[in-house]
Amino acid sequence: MVKDGWIPTACYQCKAECAILAHVEDGVVKEIRGNPKARGKACVKGMAGISLQYNKDRLTKPLKRVGKRGEGKFKEISWDEALDMLTSKLKALKAKGEAHKLTASFFPHSITDPKWRFLNAYGGFINTALPHCDSAKIVAFIKAMGGVPNHHIPPAFDTVPKDGIIILAGRHAFGCLDDAAVPRDILEAQARGAKLVVLDPIFTADAAKADWWIPIKPSGDTALFLGMTQHIVANGLHDKDFVEKWVREGDFEQLTAYLKDKTPKAMSAICGVPEADIRKLAEMCAKAPSVGVDSFKGIMLGQALDFGHAWTILLAVTGNIDNPGGQPLPDLTPMSPVEPAPAGPDLGTLGWHKTGPDKDAFSHYSFIMEPTWYEAQAIKNGDLKVLITAECNPAMTEMGQEEWRKAVCLPGEGGEEYRLEMLVSYELMHSETSRYADLVLPDKSYFERYELLYMPWWYNFGQGVLLRQPVVKAPGECRHSNEVFIELGKRLEPKYFDFADDVAFYDIQLTGLGLSVKKLQEMGGIWSPGTMGFYKYKDAGGFGTPSKKIHLYWEDLKDVDQALPRPGLAAEYEADTQDYPFVLISYRTIFHQGTGQWTHNNPQLRDPVSGMFENPALINSATAKKLGIKDGQTVTLTSRTGQLQVRAKLTERIRPDCIGLHHGFGSSVGRVATTGKGVSDNVLIPDSGMTLKWQDVVGGESHVSTRVRLSA
Ligand SMILES: Nc1nc2c(c(=O)[nH]1)N[C@H]1C(S)=C(S)[C@@H](COP(=O)(O)OP(=O)(O)OC[C@H]3O[C@@H](n4cnc5c(=O)[nH]c(N)nc54)[C@H](O)[C@@H]3O)O[C@H]1N2
Ligand SMILES: Nc1nc2c(c(=O)[nH]1)N[C@H]1C(S)=C(S)[C@@H](COP(=O)(O)OP(=O)(O)OC[C@H]3O[C@@H](n4cnc5c(=O)[nH]c(N)nc54)[C@H](O)[C@@H]3O)O[C@H]1N2
Ligand code: SF4
Ligand SMILES: [Mo]
């Protein structure tokens, strides 16, 4: 299995999962590179993966809690004992008719991840933090174009033609956020004559590379896009041929009527972008051979679905769907099903997202999986009894992290120690979440395990299969979560787990492609047709919507006034402006992924030279002057739900009405993670279950619109 040399595999220092080559000497990883076969690059985090691999804090044995939840006191136990604990708990839950009260929260590397299969077979739910980023975009694409429910599908930057336009709307692409090859491809597109436009309240590295930086108000993106579309349509600059052929009959007329008062002037008053700039950008987009939009943060804001909708409309009226440089609609790789396929519980009737003070609001929206941000509320309601976290850290990543921590420590009502009867944390190293866990399980790292990746989010390939394979041996008693869930499946739902192991499971899935894990290894770990395959709707007789055309008007959301996108800012943005005059923006850098130990506890990524030791608050110099705040001084940030003391960093590079905080700091565990420490933005951000009105139920949230007060 483990041999020396350059071995193709997949990085997992962040969720982009780039194709890499790992150089192994004497059974030790020595160097990481991008895999040229996938046009791949490795970013600074990817190359620092070696320090994660050999980190002294790695967990190597299963641990059982001995103190109270949150105390972080554990004793080592055997895998037999750990598996017996899990099996008996899950048997008892199912016997009570409460299988749906199990949720496993993890990053699904594919839609047939063995963990997901287990949940479907057993009757529990998956939830993932991914809907934090882009569920609103996914839902918008499905509703408008019937697209595949993929995670992140940015424009294929390597196909943007001369004079094509790239709009990054709340997107730090130069932080390698979602593929280390993206910065190169954007720069090459610019060298061909493409134009980069960055919408961001902060002057980021992307803004520095841009042809045009527009410091938009947080959550102003919908208004901007509507203003642009109004200008395009009112002046007959739209792609008439595309609209006539491919937009559902009647929708364009509905849109035109709706846009009457969404003039650049009216929209400028909402988003803060000057009217003339809205018109100029609209005309640039109408004339350009392609327009591609990418957004993550822009789509996380309150009213996220409105932005996803406005974005789809702009692309449709300019004919930028499934064209080079526009919005690709990649197909799912045709994997073979593993029979029998478990159906899974019904999210619509049993799902715990229908929770909290405003639960009726949910009836209007479709969910793909449970959103993590109602976890605390579901625990309080008694709808969530067993939570298994793997590759996630909700004690720090959930908005309202304090509510989450309180919820997992709530005493049980029927004599159980806790209302959440069992909490399991599957991790590489102790995390903030594992401190609260009853059972901590040591995972194999991405250098030690098999995984079959085929979600088409290798952005420049469309369909594809990438093999993650063990390149070195795992330390101690580490076992990969997929192996353990397959073992649980064999014990609890054997009918669905009639295969030997993870590799046998992947082999079945690969049969339709004429492949196997062994063949993939011989082929260099990657299979792909090598292209996105543009304009697929022409051969397919249209789009995947019921009418086969693009739906601009969403009649099913008419009664909630969302048949067409609402231009307003996030509700929270406009509330309590007197008491909390600033808007908090959390943002990322290339050095860290999320909150986790994988990068925050990595000495190569966490040092005073890179400046990534802590996370000072970015404050505009003019704002600081008014408040008498000096560079480097400790200031207090207060929101409705929390308070933080943090160092001030004065800069011209942020809007005067915003405060920037790098997301992910503030861990209380890990040798490196605790050296500079920093603060966790989620102390300030309110919990969704408590404040649903301020969250868009399909993914918008207050990561980008929490109001704060700043005092010296
Ligand atoms: N290095 C690294 N890579 C990562 C991650 C990581 O943590 N670190 N996380 C991964 C994950 S899970 C995700 S979702 C992606 C996130 O990827 P991005 O969303 O690209 O990352 P952010 O830096 O959080 O946000 C991008 C920018 O949005 C701006 N912004 C905030 N609010 C608004 C707004 O309302 N409108 C506009 N136009 N801009 C706004 C912020 O100032 C910020 O500069 O990255 C993925 N890759
Ligand atoms: N305030 C604020 N909150 C946010 C965001 C924000 O921008 N601002 N971003 C949101 C977004 S977009 C997302 S996607 C979520 C992400 O939230 P989470 O999914 O909770 O992700 P991370 O914070 O990245 O934590 C990932 C954990 O997985 C661990 N890990 C890494 N590799 C492995 C592995 O191979 N095996 C196992 N078992 N564990 C591993 C890491 O050490 C880390 O503890 O956070 C959301 N929360
Ligand atoms: S962007 Fe960097 S850290 Fe993320 S998967 Fe790619 S190489 Fe690894
Ligand atoms: Mo995300």
Side-chain angles (χ1 to χ4, degrees), residues 10 40 71 107 160 190 257 379-380 401 532 630 638 666:
E71 280 180 7
F107 178 70
V160 179
Q190 281 180 289
I379 294 168
K380 288 184 212 164
Q401 63 176 52
M532 286 276 183
K630 301 257 174 316
T638 313

Side-chain angles (χ1 to χ4, degrees), residues 307-633:
F307 179 50
H309 195 176
W311 162 5
T312 323
I313 289 174
L314 177 79
L315 294 178
V317 301
T318 53
N320 281 295
I321 309 286
D322 216 17
N323 56 324
Q327 179 55 52
L329 291 178
D331 286 329
L332 269 183
T333 310
M335 307 302 283
S336 302
V338 180
E339 303 290 359
D346 180 9
L347 195 63
T349 53
L350 296 171
W352 47 253
H353 59 266
K354 296 180 172 175
T355 186
D358 272 334
K359 54 179 178 290
D360 293 342
F362 289 107
S363 57
H364 296 286
Y365 300 93
S366 37
F367 279 77
I368 298 166
M369 51 182 79
E370 291 295 41
T372 54
W373 53 91
Y374 303 123
E375 245 168 48
Q377 189 66 44
I379 294 168
K380 288 184 212 164
N381 289 358
D383 292 330
L384 176 55
K385 294 278 174 68
V386 178
L387 177 62
I388 306 179
T389 65
E391 304 177 25
C392 62
N393 189 18
M396 287 189 79
T397 52
E398 281 318 301
M399 301 176 290
Q401 63 176 52
E402 302 308 315
E403 270 323 292
W404 188 93
R405 294 173 192 207
K406 268 189 234 157
V408 300
C409 293
L410 275 180
E413 289 174 310
E416 306 87 11
E417 192 181 2
Y418 294 108
R419 200 172 296 183
L420 175 69
E421 293 169 17
M422 191 181 227
L423 175 61
V424 181
S425 165
Y426 220 128
E427 256 291 358
L428 296 173
M429 291 178 257
H430 265 303
S431 70
E432 214 68 18
T433 301
S434 72
R435 290 175 77 90
Y436 291 84
D438 306 314
L439 199 53
V440 181
L441 302 175
D443 210 352
K444 283 184 178 169
S445 82
Y446 61 95
F447 289 121
E448 298 157 358
R449 67 197 196 214
Y450 282 103
E451 229 150 356
L452 193 63
L453 314 177
Y454 63 88
M455 301 288 257
W457 54 53
W458 300 287
Y459 84 103
N460 50 8
F461 279 98
Q463 292 181 3
V465 179
L466 183 64
L467 183 70
R468 172 171 290 136
Q469 54 179 329
V471 302
V472 293
K473 267 179 76 174
E477 296 177 18
C478 292
R479 286 192 198 174
H480 183 215
S481 58
N482 283 359
E483 296 171 50
V484 166
F485 271 77
I486 289 171
E487 172 63 27
L488 286 176
K490 285 179 184 292
R491 289 185 182 202
L492 294 166
E493 307 294 335
K495 158 166 128 183
Y496 298 105
F497 288 85
D498 191 17
F499 41 79
D501 54 20
D502 51 349
V503 172
F505 178 68
Y506 302 141
D507 275 341
I508 302 171
Q509 293 178 293
L510 286 166
T511 46
L513 290 167
L515 297 174
S516 63
V517 168
K518 193 158 178 284
K519 262 197 193 150
L520 257 182
Q521 281 172 316
E522 288 162 6
M523 287 163 58
I526 186 163
W527 171 87
S528 165
T531 167
M532 286 276 183
F534 295 111
Y535 305 111
K536 293 178 291 294
Y537 58 90
K538 290 187 182 170
D539 289 337
F543 294 89
T545 51
S547 73
K548 300 274 177 209
K549 299 278 176 81
I550 294 178
H551 293 191
L552 304 181
Y553 183 85
W554 297 347
E555 51 280 0
D556 56 326
L557 294 185
K558 190 165 180 272
D559 54 343
V560 279
D561 199 24
Q562 273 183 273
L564 284 158
R566 301 163 299 179
L569 298 177
E572 161 126 356
Y573 190 97
E574 307 210 84
D576 292 348
T577 51
Q578 295 293 321
D579 286 347
Y580 303 95
F582 299 100
V583 173
L584 178 78
I585 298 189
S586 48
Y587 67 99
R588 294 165 162 80
T589 77
I590 195 167
F591 296 98
H592 293 127
Q593 160 64 47
T595 62
Q597 302 296 317
W598 49 359
T599 55
H600 284 270
N601 201 33
N602 184 324
Q604 263 182 288
L605 297 170
R606 194 72 192 270
D607 69 80
V609 179
S610 68
M612 283 291 113
F613 228 38
E614 50 160 352
N615 56 342
L618 300 187
I619 301 169
N620 184 284
S621 311
T623 303
K625 200 167 169 202
K626 270 193 213 148
L627 295 173
I629 291 169
K630 301 257 174 316
D631 192 48
Q633 141 182 12

Side-chain angles (χ1 to χ4, degrees), residues 641-662:
T641 47
Q643 194 170 72
L644 289 175
Q645 308 274 311
V646 60
R647 199 168 58 80
K649 185 172 178 183
L650 307 194
T651 173
E652 308 293 321
R653 299 177 171 204
I654 185 165
R655 285 176 61 97
D657 55 355
C658 295
I659 308 285
L661 209 49
H662 179 208

Side-chain angles (χ1 to χ4, degrees), residues 92 96 117 348 380 567 670:
K96 276 196 287 179
R117 183 176 180 86
K380 288 184 212 164

Side-chain angles (χ1 to χ4, degrees), residues 17 24 42 59 77 110 115 121 126 128 165 170 210 219 240 268 298 364 390 404 430 462 571 600 607 614 638 651 693:
E17 312 207 275
V24 178
L59 294 162
I77 56 169
S110 75
K115 294 184 277 297
I126 169 182
T128 162
I165 294 185
S219 77
K240 297 178 190 74
S268 168
H364 296 286
W404 188 93
H430 265 303
H600 284 270
D607 69 80
E614 50 160 352
T638 313
T651 173
K693 280 206 178 87

